[in-house]
Amino acid sequence: MTVQGPFHLRRRPQRQPMLITFSGLDGSGKSTQIENLRAHLESRGVRTAVLAFWDDVVVGKRYREGFVHKVYKSEKGIGAPGKPVRRRDKNVRAWYLSLFRHALYAVDAIHLAEVVAQAKQGGIEAIIFDRYIYDELANLPLKNPLSKIFVRAVAAFVPRPDIAYFLDADVEAAHARKPEYPVDFMHKCRADYFLLAGILGNVTVIPPLPLHEAKAAVIRAFEALHPEENAGTAVLAEARPAA
């Protein structure tokens, strides 16, 4: 591609697309930070695709939703300030459901590998996930030795993110933004995310910060791992006169 004037754009060598994931509590600001990073990358010419784990990966989504609505009377909809929704799904932690979740998450892991492989064939340079298999694994009894083995096996099987963000959040503030689960359950979820991060060892934690500081922290963390992207996918070089 050329531009007018004494410069031309030199494209970087072709390589595998970057895989970027965002995980965290409901109400932690994932959608905002995903759009923040996507806009940052695209402003530098990086072609991006945003995938939602629940919509694009989870197997049997409709049946799983129907089950919790019918059996556990989980309310439908998305919680908002002043309009709470009483969700009953991942916060139902019966032992037999934990066994069932292991099986479901294994199926989701297989489908995730297929989805990522397909996305990489579309000329995309960065794939950004709104939630990842890690958000499912955080629902398991992580102090159980067998569950830890399962988590490590799934993490080794699925595509490993180039950067996996965990957006930490003040639980009360997150609950106020998205009132769907009891506050005490959200505190447990937060602790489980940190426990999972310790098992995985490849998680970048963004602490609770004012919005503008959190946006800057996400960009800094990305550029620290991928400094070559700071200048975009192309660099300016002096054009040589035609022979």
Side-chain angles (χ1 to χ4, degrees), residues 56-71:
D56 298 309
V57 174
V58 167
V59 177
K61 169 192 169 185
R62 184 177 64 175
Y63 300 104
R64 286 155 78 162
E65 284 181 335
F67 176 82
V68 297
H69 293 319
K70 184 176 182 179
V71 178

Side-chain angles (χ1 to χ4, degrees), residues 137-241:
L137 298 179
N139 297 330
L140 299 176
L142 297 176
K143 294 182 180 179
N144 183 298
L146 294 179
S147 290
K148 284 185 179 180
I149 292 172
F150 176 80
V151 165
R152 292 191 177 102
V154 169
F157 173 77
V158 300
R160 182 183 178 91
D162 292 277
I163 182 165
Y165 290 103
F166 163 46
L167 301 184
D168 192 15
D170 177 88
V171 170
E172 283 70 21
H175 181 267
R177 287 193 293 270
K178 203 171 184 181
E180 295 180 350
Y181 298 99
V183 171
D184 59 345
F185 174 73
M186 293 182 68
H187 276 289
K188 183 183 184 309
C189 284
R190 180 175 181 267
D192 288 340
Y193 272 112
F194 278 104
L195 185 57
L196 179 66
I199 296 172
L200 296 174
N202 66 324
V203 176
T204 298
V205 178
I206 303 298
L209 295 167
L211 181 58
H212 70 284
E213 293 182 22
K215 286 183 174 182
V218 166
I219 300 301
R220 284 197 305 270
F222 174 83
E223 291 181 346
L225 290 177
H226 299 277
E228 73 278 7
E229 300 299 337
N230 193 27
T233 61
V235 294
L236 288 174
E238 291 189 20
R240 297 181 180 179

Side-chain angles (χ1 to χ4, degrees), residues 2 11 26 39 51 54 57 64 66 72 87 91 104-105 116 127 130 147 149 154 162 165 174 222 227 235:
T2 60
R11 302 293 296 181
D26 297 274
L51 299 177
W54 182 251
V57 174
R64 286 155 78 162
Y72 293 110
R87 298 282 295 273
N91 54 331
L104 287 175
Y105 297 170
V116 172
I127 303 167
D130 183 347
S147 290
I149 292 172
V154 169
D162 292 277
Y165 290 103
F222 174 83
V235 294

Side-chain angles (χ1 to χ4, degrees), residues 47-112:
R47 296 185 298 276
T48 64
V50 177
L51 299 177
F53 186 82
W54 182 251
D55 293 329
D56 298 309
V57 174
V58 167
V59 177
K61 169 192 169 185
R62 184 177 64 175
Y63 300 104
R64 286 155 78 162
E65 284 181 335
F67 176 82
V68 297
H69 293 319
K70 184 176 182 179
V71 178
Y72 293 110
K73 311 302 180 185
S74 179
E75 293 182 359
K76 297 181 179 180
I78 299 175
K83 296 181 180 180
V85 172
R86 185 171 175 267
R87 298 282 295 273
R88 285 182 56 78
D89 37 56
K90 63 185 178 183
N91 54 331
V92 181
R93 296 291 177 96
W95 67 267
Y96 56 87
L97 285 179
S98 290
L99 290 177
F100 192 43
R101 286 185 178 110
H102 283 76
L104 287 175
Y105 297 170
V107 174
D108 289 343
I110 294 170
H111 191 223
L112 171 61

